Amino acid sequence: MKDFNPADKIQDLQYFGEFGGVNPSISDSSTYTFLSAKTMFDTFEGNMEGCYLYSRHSSPSNLYLDQALAAMEGTETANVSASGMGAITPTLLQLCGAGDHIVSSRTIYGGTYAFLKNFTPRFGIETSFVDITKLDIVEAAITPKTKVLYCETVSNPLLEVADIAGLAKIAKKHNLKLVVDNTFSPLSVSPAKLGADIVIHSLTKYINGSSDTVGGVTCASKEFINSLKNVNSGASMLLGPTMDSLRSASVMKNLRTLHIRIKQHSHNAHFLADQFEKDGLKTVYPGLKSHPSHELYKTMINPEYGFGGMLTIDVGTLEKANELMELMQKRNLGYLAVSLGFYKTLFSAPGTSTSSEIPLEEQKEMGLTDGLIRFSIGLDNDIDRTYEMMKQCMIELGILNSAKNHKEVFTEIH
């Protein structure tokens, strides 16, 4: 991975604004004029490079961001969209049709799960949900109708790690497309370099980083992105999840500082995970040696960006989880909110929020417990101070007093 530094690829892109500005000019237009009718026709047919017709097709601002994100992920090109789901859903619908089959990780974002479980069957597309960490189970789920392997680099919310290189070998063997949602690990992991065919992000999260914009991106080959944008048959073109030019420009500016932010998110999360585990809390973080995929993840990451900013702890019950989150918010330690990648720490109980689309019995099967709290660790300057304040909250609620015992009971059960 040393010969590919994704942050350098972003830095090497240089765009001048229309009047020499250090930021590219924003094309605040929904439609574009032509000097001749023939040029308009040629543009509509896709034969005029650099000409714009209508902003649902493309815009200069979106194309700047496309190029930057493709450079970051090491793909030929990319297509930004109005949301993360606006990237995921057209991508899967472009790859699959009636009678096709998808093999997906069972622990994925609740919205993606609901799309695959409840929505795509309307179109005759079926999905098998499997433990993505067991390659033999993944391969056994493949049928002659399978077209796609789908996973998240680090799963939401259980932080399971997908062996992308191993999955890529299976995909190649069976002539499938490996689609990887890399939202939790931008810069840290480069899935395309590990063999993924298509890489997706919710730009809403780390890449934008300021929780003021919703967006998504699909990074892939020119052939696939062109198929997504085809005026007659492209899912992104025809479903219309277009990103607004002003939002593209905003994300583009924030992308320039992603490498600094990811390092701090990772540093802070690793510190807290170490401390929580020492205190006896059941802590899941890929940077901990206790994580079942720690050694695998070490081989996958670009080391300078660390193991990411996401961690979970289990405090035993939903009641305790809610009490702790409410107290931490009251003490200004973060926000009881969904999403991730913000400068402040965000925490939520996934079973009743971001994973609530998953039926309770299936949550239990995959190990999503009532007392689980998902943390998106922020950019705190003094993380030791943050830890001491969080620890005090846990002591006041009696969580730390019983955490060690809870950990021992959990180990015995499993």
Side-chain angles (χ1 to χ4, degrees):
M1 303 295 289
K2 288 181 180 177
D3 59 338
F4 179 79
N5 189 314
D8 291 346
K9 298 297 181 182
I10 297 169
Q11 180 181 300
D12 289 346
L13 292 172
Q14 190 161 307
Y15 306 111
F16 293 109
E18 184 180 0
F19 303 104
V22 295
N23 289 309
S25 301
I26 301 170
S27 177
D28 193 19
S29 296
S30 60
T31 191
Y32 299 83
T33 189
F34 292 87
L35 297 181
S36 75
K38 185 179 185 308
T39 306
M40 176 183 281
F41 173 79
D42 289 340
T43 302
F44 203 95
E45 293 296 304
N47 299 324
M48 288 296 291
E49 191 76 27
C51 290
Y52 301 94
L53 177 75
Y54 185 58
S55 284
R56 180 165 60 83
H57 296 209
S58 69
S59 70
S61 298
N62 285 7
L63 286 176
Y64 287 136
L65 187 56
D66 288 344
Q67 291 167 3
L69 293 167
M72 181 185 82
E73 286 297 353
T75 60
E76 286 183 335
T77 189
N79 183 52
V80 293
S81 58
S83 69
M85 290 302 293
I88 292 166
T89 55
T91 295
L92 294 176
L93 290 175
Q94 192 69 28
L95 292 169
C96 299
D100 289 339
H101 176 248
I102 296 169
V103 175
S104 170
S105 169
R106 63 183 181 173
T107 60
I108 52 175
Y109 170 57
T112 311
Y113 176 91
F115 175 70
L116 292 174
K117 180 80 179 230
N118 305 324
F119 196 85
T120 56
R122 300 183 193 180
F123 302 99
I125 302 167
E126 300 296 332
T127 301
S128 296
F129 296 95
V130 301
D131 183 344
I132 206 72
T133 65
K134 295 181 170 60
L135 296 181
D136 56 335
I137 291 176
V138 173
E139 190 158 21
I142 295 169
T143 76
K145 295 181 178 181
T146 307
K147 292 290 190 293
V148 171
L149 293 184
Y150 182 87
C151 68
E152 296 168 349
T153 306
V154 180
S155 75
N156 183 5
L158 296 181
L159 308 186
E160 293 177 346
V161 173
D163 180 354
I164 295 172
L167 292 168
K169 288 178 184 175
I170 293 172
K172 188 173 182 181
K173 176 181 173 183
H174 294 276
N175 195 29
L176 311 176
K177 294 296 184 185
L178 175 58
V179 181
V180 179
D181 183 336
N182 200 36
T183 297
F184 275 25
S185 41
L187 300 186
S188 291
V189 180
S190 301
K193 295 300 177 182
L194 297 171
D197 297 291
I198 298 169
V199 182
I200 287 171
H201 284 274
S202 169
L203 302 178
T204 314
K205 315 303 194 300
Y206 284 112
I207 289 175
N208 186 57
S210 51
S211 289
D212 60 357
T213 293
V214 176
V217 68
T218 301
C219 303
S221 66
K222 285 183 181 178
E223 181 183 12
F224 181 70
I225 297 301
N226 286 343
S227 74
L228 273 180
K229 297 168 76 171
N230 185 285
V231 294
N232 295 308
S233 59
S236 286
M237 178 66 68
L238 298 175
L239 294 173
T242 309
M243 183 172 237
D244 179 75
S245 292
L246 294 171
R247 289 305 187 187
S248 286
S250 176
V251 175
M252 186 72 172
K253 291 171 191 171
N254 288 349
L255 180 64
R256 302 297 192 180
T257 62
L258 179 63
H259 61 294
I260 300 168
R261 292 185 281 111
I262 287 292
K263 289 176 186 178
Q264 188 69 14
H265 284 301
S266 292
H267 168 78
N268 286 353
H270 208 151
F271 179 87
L272 288 177
D274 280 334
Q275 297 302 318
F276 291 158
E277 188 170 64
K278 286 174 187 174
D279 288 334
L281 287 164
K282 184 183 180 304
T283 308
V284 177
Y285 180 69
L288 295 175
K289 290 181 180 178
S290 58
H291 191 287
S293 298
H294 173 71
E295 292 302 321
L296 167 66
Y297 203 52
K298 274 173 66 177
T299 69
M300 291 169 55
I301 63 172
N302 300 304
E304 70 177 286
Y305 303 109
F307 291 88
M310 304 298 297
L311 65 87
T312 68
I313 62 172
D314 194 327
V315 296
T317 67
L318 180 59
E319 182 183 14
K320 280 292 182 190
N322 288 340
E323 285 178 348
L324 177 59
M325 290 188 293
E326 288 169 7
L327 183 57
M328 288 191 296
Q329 180 167 256
K330 186 177 180 181
R331 302 268 171 93
N332 198 30
L333 288 165
Y335 298 124
L336 204 176
V338 299
S339 201
L340 52 126
F342 192 42
Y343 79 94
K344 289 281 284 187
T345 293
L346 304 178
F347 30 79
S348 61
T352 55
S353 58
T354 53
S355 297
S356 59
E357 297 94 336
I358 302 173
L360 287 175
E361 63 273 12
E362 293 182 36
Q363 289 187 26
K364 287 177 182 176
E365 263 181 49
M366 64 179 64
L368 207 173
T369 55
D370 286 343
L372 191 77
I373 301 175
R374 189 193 77 174
F375 285 82
S376 166
I377 304 301
L379 300 174
D380 307 39
N381 179 57
D382 187 348
I383 196 62
D384 186 66
R385 172 179 177 269
T386 299
Y387 162 67
E388 292 297 337
M389 293 172 70
M390 286 183 172
K391 183 178 179 181
Q392 183 59 38
C393 291
M394 294 178 196
I395 290 170
E396 288 179 29
L397 295 174
I399 292 169
L400 274 181
N401 293 339
S402 59
K404 202 164 188 177
N405 292 334
H406 173 63
K407 184 179 180 183
E408 289 165 2
V409 169
F410 185 91
T411 303
E412 285 173 17
I413 292 171
H414 290 72

